[in-house]
Amino acid sequence: MSSHVGNAKRQFVTSGGSGEAVLPDRRMTPPVVRGILWAAIAFILVNTLVSQVLDRQAYDPFITKVSVTFAWTAALCGWLLGVGGWEMLVKPHFGYPLVWRTPADWRRYFMLSLDHKVVGIQYLATSAAGLFIAGFAAMMMRAELMQARLWFFPNMSAYLSAVGIHGTIMMFAFGTVVLVGGFGNYLIPLMLGANGSAFPRVSAISVWLLPVGIATVALSPLLGMWTTGWRAYAPLSGQDPSGIVFYYLGVFAMTVSSLLVAVNLTATIIFKRAAGLTWNRIPMYAWGILAVSLLNIIWLPEIQMTFILSLLNNIVPFPLFSQVGTPLTYMEIFWLFGHPEVYIIVVPAFAIWQEILPVMGQKTLFARQWGVLGLVFVMLFSGLVWAHHMFTNMRNSQMLPFSFFTEMISIPTGFAYLVALGTMWKARMRPKAPTVLVLMSMFNFLIGGVTGVLLADPVINLQAHDTFFIVGHFHYTIIGAMLFSALAAVYYWMPRLCGRMYSETWANLLSVWVFIAFNAVFGQFFLLGLRGMNRWVPVYPAYLQNMNFEVSIFAFLLGIGFLLHLIHVVWMWNHGEPAGTNPWQGKTLEWHSASGPGQTNFAVAPIVLRGFYNYADRRPVLASRGAGEREATGGGATPGPTAE
Amino acid sequence: MTRSLAQVKVRQKPVPSSPAAGPSPAVLDRRDYAQHQFGLMLFMVTQGIPYFVLINMRFMVAGAYVPPHLDVWFGALLPTILLWIGAAFAWRGALALRNDRTRQCARDLARTEVVGAVGLVALMAPFWRHSFDPIGRFGTVYLSSLGVASFYTLVALAVVLGAAFRTRRGLVTRLAPWGARSAAAVWTFNAASWLVLYIVFYSI
Ligand code: HEM
Ligand SMILES: [Cu+2]
């Protein structure tokens, strides 16, 4: 029995020392149940303590801004300890053996996991949940806008709260997460020929911050409405009722989650590469994740500190950003993060284009070095342009440099684009769903990018700022480019994730469906913006009504389209045709291992002989094969430790 | 049965030479050591950024203003000195491992805890007693910074406490010194961050 554990040993080396494995208990309840229990107890205890004893307030409310902040923090700790932090982090920290039972069934997804594949799927599922929760908020917004009077929401603030919840969850739980925490955690160790990430316990715990963040933001109306949207502009944020407190707390949980992923994946890319996997050879997706992780490492702590100050502003309360400091102070430090954030979202999408296109065309990636340069320079430039979000608040002379750098960013962005175009040039692209979705993503990004360049021009920006033209622009980049790429990634890697194939007909049909609906909705946003439709308004003048009504219809169709994609993927996850080990004939290393959750990726450490993107070269990329190959259909490469 | 243990990636058995069952020191090879070092360094870089924001806020909001009659000891020099004394103990302890003096290491880490706990109190004192307007230009940013520094001091205390426990249990040794060194590094990071804040709030 112990002999098998030997090869797993290397994946888990910590200062906590070794631990012991205990046979799974068949009747064990998944630790999330314990987490919920501990969180609830901690919340009630601490809230009572603060609001009834330590900090009683006039009229003696049971929940105050202050008490809820402390109670939430306690609940977060209770939750993290309950899902496994107690056994996996706290006890080993103090020198107790690490004992962690892992049943090999569905329950492994409902507890801390040291397997990067399980963590990846946990992240994917959670951020998909975020997508649909925030999408539901969007549907409610569109319902309201079908009539030129307040009918769906009880009051204006309720509508604006829905807008805020939508944007916040989309940005911090989906946009920032799905391609990094999700596909990044799952794929990066595999693509590097490693058996795990650098710090498995870090991502094991970080994923459980995400549902907390989503739930906190989604439940924020329980505390009161908030009207600032995802930007949380101060001093407005200090004037609303308490709901904004849950915005700060929820965003804190989600950003910590992404920050830990960034640290872990950066270390993984630097230290876990297989022999022969030099910097010249590492996959494009690894480059993308590296660039994004560096952005996350710099900017997430920055915005966390900003939001903590804003939170103190709210609960102490401080007069920060109004009497002390100015509203512009807040805008500066928000957008310093805010613009890099949009590249955090879109850079991995570029990398996905560059992974999928050469494989689907079986053609060498065009100008690979320029693709890498593009990703890296977009990352570097993204810190120089933030003030294009504040042109309306600046002097003319100050706009110029920001306008200039913003337009310059389209050059490295163009590299990513040209690499994709060059790869497809004269290639016989297989018309499979991943290809189709990447093409759609490129089309949408063209519109998103070009409107961005327009907006970088102060003359246009001063007219279009905070109208639906902006909303059109960023939905083209975020949904149009990133979400379509994420869908492409889902279909492309689905055989790797679950060993089964989706239905080509349905996938293509649904992709066309969402493509048409998407363009119908957001293409019209540009027109609405130009016709004078401002953002953040629940009831518009009658002259915008017809168009808004019809946009809402397409928006519902878009929502249904995404829902059908989800149903299709979930159905095929269990019922699709078995896909074989490498259905697309990809060269990157994730296709050289068929390990499922809980199984070792590479029983024999792979040795990489050449890069993955040259399709003129038909020689194998790995020196020693065989050990990592699938042994039987449905089975894994080498089963993990077995009990004999 | 094949599936049941599949995911367990912890060491099944203690290293044969270890005296009793239970955890044994994790001896990192060179690459693993470098990886841990890098990970910790990167994490500290991320945690330096909030301080950077605070420093900027201090100048954006309050310029270089220092209120008159500001206490020079509490929330100021006293915690600075105590945190650095703690750092000296922590490093002396970590380095004592080189000569196999494990108990000395555990003792020194415990000293860091004691000095640090007093330092924390000295750091937080201005929350209760201060001579400036707590919601004024200086007060808001200064008190926020004190809060952040106190939080990180608490974290550093927890890290060092764990390292002290593990050292006493024989899990941190000459061959496996990472636990003590990382704790000393975290402590030093915290002391240095506070030192910078101190200079920013008092001397510039
Ligand atoms: C060539 C690339 C791009 C350029 C030149 C560009 C330019 C701009 C400009 C000038 C604005 C400010 C408009 C205003 O509020 O007055 C803006 C807003 C925005 N852009 Fe972009 N953009 C580009 C790409 C992207 C990408 C890739 C994303 C996301 C993935 C994105 C997301 C956003 C968002 C979210 C906003 C509005 C934020 C808000 O006001 O709430 N942009 N963009
Ligand atoms: Cu921007």
Side-chain angles (χ1 to χ4, degrees), chain B residues 118-143:
Chain B
V118 180
L120 180 61
V121 175
L123 190 62
M124 293 172 70
F127 285 131
W128 290 276
R129 297 167 52 113
H130 43 244
S131 58
F132 49 82
D133 177 6
I135 57 169
R137 292 167 161 269
F138 182 87
T140 45
V141 186
Y142 175 66
L143 289 180

Side-chain angles (χ1 to χ4, degrees), chain A residues 230-231 335 342-343 389 452 455 461 465 470 473-474 477 535:
Chain A
W230 84 286
R231 310 180 288 193
W335 284 114
V342 309
Y343 281 97
H389 296 275
L455 289 171
N461 187 293
H465 178 66
I470 307 298
H473 156 70
F474 69 75
T477 50
R535 303 167 72 178

Side-chain angles (χ1 to χ4, degrees), chain A residues 171 230-231 335 339 342-343 345-346 388-389 391 406-407 409-410 413 445 448-449 452-453 455-456 461 464-466 470 473-474 477-478 535-536:
Chain A
M171 291 302 265
W230 84 286
R231 310 180 288 193
W335 284 114
H339 185 83
V342 309
Y343 281 97
I345 290 176
V346 91
H388 63 217
H389 296 275
F391 281 164
T406 306
E407 290 182 5
I409 253 195
S410 48
T413 313
F445 185 73
V453 176
L455 289 171
N461 187 293
H465 178 66
D466 264 357
I470 307 298
H473 156 70
F474 69 75
T477 50
I478 300 177
R535 303 167 72 178
W536 317 112

Side-chain angles (χ1 to χ4, degrees), chain A residues 240-262:
Chain A
D240 284 331
S242 319
I244 192 97
V245 170
F246 268 179
Y247 164 89
Y248 294 127
L249 296 174
V251 172
F252 181 76
M254 296 188 274
T255 46
V256 172
S257 177
S258 288
L259 180 64
L260 293 176
V261 170

Side-chain angles (χ1 to χ4, degrees), chain A residues 509-523:
Chain A
L509 187 78
L510 293 175
S511 299
V512 172
W513 176 326
V514 292
F515 181 73
I516 292 173
F518 166 80
N519 277 286
V521 174
F522 295 98

Side-chain angles (χ1 to χ4, degrees), chain A residues 1-2 5 8-24 26 92-98 100 102-105 108 112-115 118 195 197-199 259-260 262-263 266-267 270-273 297-299 301-302 305-306 308-309 312 316-321 323-325 329 333 598-599 639-643, chain B residues 1-15 21-40 42-43 45-51 53-54 56-57 60-62 134-141 143-145 148 151-152 157-166 169 171-172 178-179 182:
Chain A
M1 188 181 192
S2 58
V5 186
K9 193 162 73 180
R10 266 196 51 81
Q11 298 175 27
F12 186 68
V13 190
T14 67
S15 55
S18 57
E20 48 188 300
V22 171
L23 281 172
R26 292 246 159 248
H93 182 62
F94 289 99
Y96 292 91
L98 197 159
W100 190 237
T102 314
D105 53 25
R108 68 153 55 101
L112 290 203
S113 171
L114 293 170
D115 184 337
V118 175
N195 278 331
S197 65
F199 303 108
L259 180 64
L260 293 176
V263 171
T266 306
I270 292 178
F271 285 95
K272 289 291 189 177
R273 281 169 289 133
I297 281 167
I298 296 171
W299 298 112
E302 192 262 352
M305 193 66 241
T306 308
I308 285 170
L309 287 173
L312 293 175
V316 174
F318 282 148
L320 219 51
F321 310 121
Q323 288 96 321
V324 169
T329 319
I333 51 182
Q599 295 165 341
T642 44
Chain B
M1 232 21 238
T2 355
R3 301 177 316 146
S4 56
L5 261 176
Q7 207 198 327
V8 178
K9 294 214 175 66
V10 281
R11 264 179 226 188
Q12 187 80 8
K13 277 189 172 170
V15 175
S24 55
V27 181
L28 304 179
D29 65 23
R30 262 185 131 173
R31 198 173 166 78
D32 278 336
Y33 194 88
Q35 177 192 310
H36 278 69
Q37 237 175 354
F38 175 83
L40 185 64
L42 196 61
F43 190 67
V45 168
T46 68
Q47 299 312 294
I49 292 166
Y51 285 101
V53 175
L54 286 173
N56 278 298
M57 283 296 289
M60 281 196 287
V61 167
I135 57 169
R137 292 167 161 269
F138 182 87
T140 45
V141 186
L143 289 180
S144 305
S145 301
V148 171
F151 171 76
Y152 280 108
L157 280 168
V159 169
V160 172
L161 189 67
F165 265 74
R166 295 204 305 281
R169 288 172 176 253
L171 294 171
V172 179
W178 171 248
S182 56

Side-chain angles (χ1 to χ4, degrees), chain A residues 147-207:
Chain A
Q147 296 194 29
R149 62 187 175 87
L150 209 57
W151 73 280
F152 193 88
F153 286 96
N155 53 54
M156 305 264 180
S157 300
Y159 171 82
L160 291 179
S161 300
V163 180
I165 291 170
H166 165 77
T168 307
I169 294 182
M170 284 299 190
M171 291 302 265
F172 294 107
F174 183 74
T176 317
V177 174
V178 65
L179 295 182
V180 186
F183 282 109
N185 264 314
Y186 194 102
L187 292 172
I188 290 297
L190 277 166
M191 286 182 154
L192 300 175
N195 278 331
S197 65
F199 303 108
R201 288 196 295 179
V202 170
S203 38
I205 195 97
S206 72
V207 67

